[in-house]
Amino acid sequence: MSTHDHSTLTATRPDFAAIAAWIPPGASVLDLGCGDGSLLRYLQGTSKVQGYGVEISDDNIVACIQNQVNVIQGDLESGLSGFESNAFDYVILSQTLQATRHTEPLMQEMLRVGREGIVSFPNFGYWRNRMNILQGNMPVSEDLPYQWYDTPNIHLCTLHDFETFCHDNKMTILDRRVMTGDSEIKLLPNLLGSTAVYRFKRAV
Amino acid sequence: MNASNSIGIVSAQHAHFNTPFSCKSGAVLPSYELVYETYGTLNSDKSNAVLVCHALSGHHHVAGYYADDLKNVGWWDTMIGPGKPIDTEKFFVIGLNNLGGCHGSTGPISINPATGKPYGASFPVVTVEDWVESQAHLADKLGINQFAAVLGGSLGGMQALQWSLAYPGRVRHVLAIASAPRLTAQNIAFNDVARNAILTDPDFYGGNYYEHGVVPTRGLRLARMLGHITYLSNDAMADKFGRGLRSDKYSYSYDIDFEIESYLRYQGDKFAAYFDANTYLLMTKALDYFDPAREYNDDLNKAFAAARANFLVLSFTTDWRFAPERSRAIVKALLHNRLKVSYAEITSTHGHDSFLMQHTHYHNVMRAYFDNIASEFTA
């Protein structure tokens, strides 16, 4: 994905550990918009997952191969037709949701292809973002490092927005981790958390 | 990075096989010979061997050049050599001419020991499966039990795929480049027009033209011209030739007006001067017949159930003869079988011919993949 222009991802990114904690050893994982393959490489180390990434950028394809991560070049915006239904235990969309154009169909595709979905995204409801808005500016921060005119983030949301979306689309949220930096946020997460990670499945 | 480095002077070697070879068609060759070249050094545990399978008009001269013909550079010299993506400082690379070829391996122009005359039309129609079988015999002779990688473009990619199915334990990595799990009807149609050009040439004599002292040059030339059109992209042709004229005005005759006509005729003539028409027929038929899913009720997933290798599948955006969607079909079947696979769709303007071209990103992908393969046996 072009959304991983900030592809200096490292295995220390806080949502990696949260995601790894949910994934049992040997699980099959599809990482959408996998960037340079850092997350999959991390998961291959921590959970011995059987992983594949999907990426659109040429440079990231080379980076994934160098990171010894399986990668399939493709555009998430045209769907996941290259993947069979229920092919994976987990389909991950890490720090990419907010930059997808066809967000709603992509979320549905995640749960067609995978048993469970995992999504992480910057919380637009984080108090610093709200402060920026109150001061009359679009938020720019570590999690949202772009200016309004060059941001790939076209579908930003808050925790509340995402949870409402899941409910409306018949998706059941199984787990949630909210963080600011490396610290987990339990109190007033939609206000105090800068990043959220959700695990969800199709409601039965 | 050392793109100009060449492996240098190389020479062809010959392997004789005196045991009869049974073809898939049922035909039997009493004995045969394969011509091949090798580059680099086989390591002590013989774990660094790479087999390069050639496409329709390819052969064993893959890299380097000949002492007596310095301009005769191997067809994939940009890819293979010291410091190149397939680094001959690390790998022992083998290129061969397939059975039925016209560059030194036993083929239609070879003498049939039973008659003392060229095989001609009596040479069996060999298949991709037959080639892989004969390549395995060559590997046996060279003492190679398992290849680090088998790769090829187009028809060569089909052989690489077949290796993973026929000999899952003898290949660790398979690279299928600008290839397909089987040809489409349109693709077979192109091949059939090419074959018809040869078959209907009055100089073809049912395939036994050698004894008449002629060559079906016109047919072979047309076949190549047609093929060549399909190997290029519309854009590449428009860029290179456009509607450019050889002189500044129309001739109002059927002579060459346009640059593209001149180019195609030149390519056709060049090819017809060295390539054997019977080999051309046989190669196109091998392309048409390849279809590993056929014996599994057209289920490619089932066909690949036997495979154990890791795969790299590459396609090129403007390749309409072996389109990216054909490569994606391979990838889907590999994913179904939980095989390790990476897939890249290389943006290139050169159509099917892209796989032979020097292209930075393409070569970066190949280099990264082969570096990983090398790390497995040097670690």
Side-chain angles (χ1 to χ4, degrees):
Chain A
M1 290 290 299
S2 51
T3 51
H4 271 298
D5 288 342
H6 51 296
S7 64
T8 47
L9 297 182
T10 68
T12 58
R13 221 175 67 186
D15 57 332
F16 284 13
I19 292 170
W22 287 336
I23 296 185
S28 59
V29 173
L30 183 68
D31 183 10
L32 305 176
C34 67
D36 65 2
S38 294
L39 174 59
L40 281 172
R41 192 177 169 112
Y42 180 77
L43 293 175
Q44 281 168 191
T46 57
S47 313
K48 301 271 176 277
V49 301
Q50 188 175 39
Y52 300 86
V54 179
E55 247 300 319
I56 195 169
S57 131
D58 285 349
D59 289 346
N60 278 333
I61 296 294
V62 176
C64 283
I65 294 173
Q66 286 168 339
N67 276 323
Q68 305 196 329
V69 163
N70 298 314
V71 64
I72 310 295
Q73 191 159 24
D75 183 0
L76 299 182
E77 301 294 0
S78 51
L80 301 176
S81 62
F83 300 95
E84 294 176 337
S85 296
N86 302 311
F88 294 93
D89 295 324
Y90 299 92
V91 178
I92 301 174
L93 192 63
S94 162
Q95 298 295 338
T96 302
L97 176 81
Q98 73 280 1
T100 57
R101 180 172 296 273
H102 305 104
T103 310
E104 201 173 333
L106 182 58
M107 288 279 289
Q108 300 289 358
E109 276 284 85
M110 286 177 72
L111 292 184
R112 176 186 67 80
V113 168
R115 203 165 46 80
E116 293 182 9
I118 294 175
V119 155
S120 71
F121 58 87
N123 173 26
F124 203 70
Y126 181 46
W127 69 273
R128 283 183 188 276
N129 298 337
R130 300 190 195 199
M131 284 293 288
N132 279 326
I133 299 277
L134 276 177
Q135 287 161 357
N137 297 310
M138 284 298 285
V140 178
S141 66
E142 205 171 305
D143 288 322
L144 295 169
Y146 301 97
Q147 297 293 337
W148 65 270
Y149 50 83
D150 66 4
T151 182
N153 298 328
I154 53 173
H155 283 147
L156 288 160
C157 67
T158 69
L159 306 198
H160 287 167
D161 292 333
F162 184 78
E163 288 167 19
T164 305
F165 172 89
C166 286
H167 178 262
D168 292 349
N169 284 279
K170 302 194 165 45
M171 295 170 185
T172 305
I173 291 169
L174 301 168
D175 218 332
R176 182 184 79 181
R177 290 275 185 288
V178 183
M179 286 166 301
T180 298
D182 290 334
S183 330
E184 186 166 356
I185 306 296
K186 301 266 190 196
L187 182 73
L188 299 173
N190 197 37
L191 186 66
L192 301 180
S194 69
T195 292
V197 196
Y198 285 87
R199 187 164 65 88
F200 57 97
K201 66 173 187 176
R202 238 184 325 268
V204 282
Chain B
M1 271 194 271
N2 298 326
S4 60
N5 277 2
S6 169
I7 186 76
I9 291 168
V10 299
S11 55
Q13 301 170 69
H14 296 259
H16 284 279
F17 299 88
N18 288 320
T19 40
F21 184 87
S22 298
C23 300
K24 200 183 175 193
S25 67
V28 177
L29 285 170
S31 65
Y32 62 102
E33 181 163 303
L34 294 175
V35 60
Y36 66 100
E37 290 180 8
T38 69
Y39 322 109
T41 310
L42 188 62
N43 62 10
S44 57
D45 60 353
K46 300 178 177 180
S47 60
N48 69 335
V50 171
L51 177 68
V52 178
C53 304
H54 70 75
L56 185 61
S57 59
H59 44 69
H60 57 288
H61 185 37
V62 184
Y65 45 83
Y66 295 132
D68 59 353
D69 188 0
L70 300 180
K71 285 188 176 157
N72 189 351
V73 177
W75 57 266
W76 222 5
D77 191 71
T78 54
M79 188 65 82
I80 297 160
K84 291 183 181 177
I86 303 174
D87 189 347
T88 47
E89 306 277 339
K90 297 172 185 166
F91 293 100
F92 176 66
V93 183
I94 303 165
L96 85 162
N97 186 214
N98 278 330
L99 213 50
C102 54
H103 291 89
S105 292
T106 302
I109 57 173
S110 308
I111 301 297
N112 180 349
T115 62
K117 290 199 290 187
Y119 279 100
S122 71
F123 194 86
V125 173
V126 288
T127 61
V128 168
E129 290 91 327
D130 293 330
W131 286 334
V132 167
E133 199 60 32
S134 63
Q135 290 159 5
H137 293 323
L138 179 63
D140 293 342
K141 193 158 257 191
L142 298 175
I144 295 157
N145 185 46
Q146 187 187 58
F147 283 105
V150 177
L151 76 157
S154 192
L155 177 57
M158 290 175 165
Q159 293 158 57
L161 293 174
Q162 178 60 24
W163 262 96
S164 75
L165 307 179
Y167 292 104
R170 295 192 69 174
V171 54
R172 295 198 297 278
H173 295 268
V174 163
L175 292 87
I177 305 167
S179 195
R182 62 177 172 195
L183 293 193
T184 59
Q186 186 196 47
N187 217 328
I188 293 170
F190 282 124
N191 283 341
D192 194 47
V193 174
R195 281 192 296 269
N196 264 282
I198 294 168
L199 295 169
T200 58
D201 186 320
D203 286 341
F204 182 62
Y205 291 104
N208 296 315
Y209 43 88
Y210 315 101
E211 54 202 68
H212 292 84
V214 291
V215 173
T217 313
R218 284 163 292 182
L220 193 52
R221 179 171 177 268
L222 282 175
R224 183 58 171 182
M225 286 168 76
L226 173 71
H228 210 89
I229 297 167
T230 69
Y231 305 149
L232 300 176
S233 70
N234 188 20
D235 286 352
M237 235 188 241
D239 282 352
K240 194 167 176 185
F241 307 103
R243 291 183 51 85
L245 293 168
R246 298 213 60 204
S247 66
D248 55 353
K249 46 180 184 268
Y250 292 174
S251 70
Y252 295 100
S253 76
Y254 302 112
D255 291 338
I256 294 174
D257 279 318
F258 295 94
E259 293 286 0
I260 182 64
E261 296 175 299
S262 165
Y263 173 79
L264 277 179
R265 289 183 198 198
Y266 170 74
Q267 292 293 335
D269 287 340
K270 196 171 78 168
F271 187 74
Y274 75 85
F275 207 83
D276 178 62
N278 280 320
T279 290
Y280 198 90
L281 292 175
L282 167 162
M283 295 276 173
T284 58
K285 212 60 186 175
L287 271 164
D288 292 0
Y289 283 158
F290 182 67
D291 183 6
R294 189 165 178 261
E295 58 191 282
Y296 297 94
N297 283 321
D298 292 327
D299 186 342
L300 194 61
N301 290 342
K302 289 208 177 96
F304 274 104
R308 295 289 172 271
N310 301 335
F311 290 80
L312 179 66
V313 179
L314 302 180
S315 70
F316 298 89
T317 50
T318 52
D319 182 354
W320 54 280
R321 186 91 197 246
F322 288 77
E325 65 187 82
R326 312 296 299 134
S327 283
R328 286 196 292 264
I330 299 170
V331 171
K332 201 166 183 176
L334 298 174
L335 285 170
H336 176 88
N337 287 292
R338 299 283 170 99
L339 291 159
K340 287 190 172 178
V341 53
S342 284
Y343 169 66
E345 207 164 295
I346 314 283
T347 302
S348 164
T349 56
H350 294 288
H352 188 52
D353 271 351
S354 299
F355 83 86
L356 296 166
M357 305 281 180
Q358 189 156 14
H359 177 293
T360 305
H361 174 56
Y362 169 38
H363 279 205
N364 286 344
V365 170
M366 291 291 284
R367 183 185 297 279
Y369 197 84
F370 271 91
D371 283 351
N372 284 347
I373 300 176
S375 72
E376 292 167 6
F377 58 75
T378 52

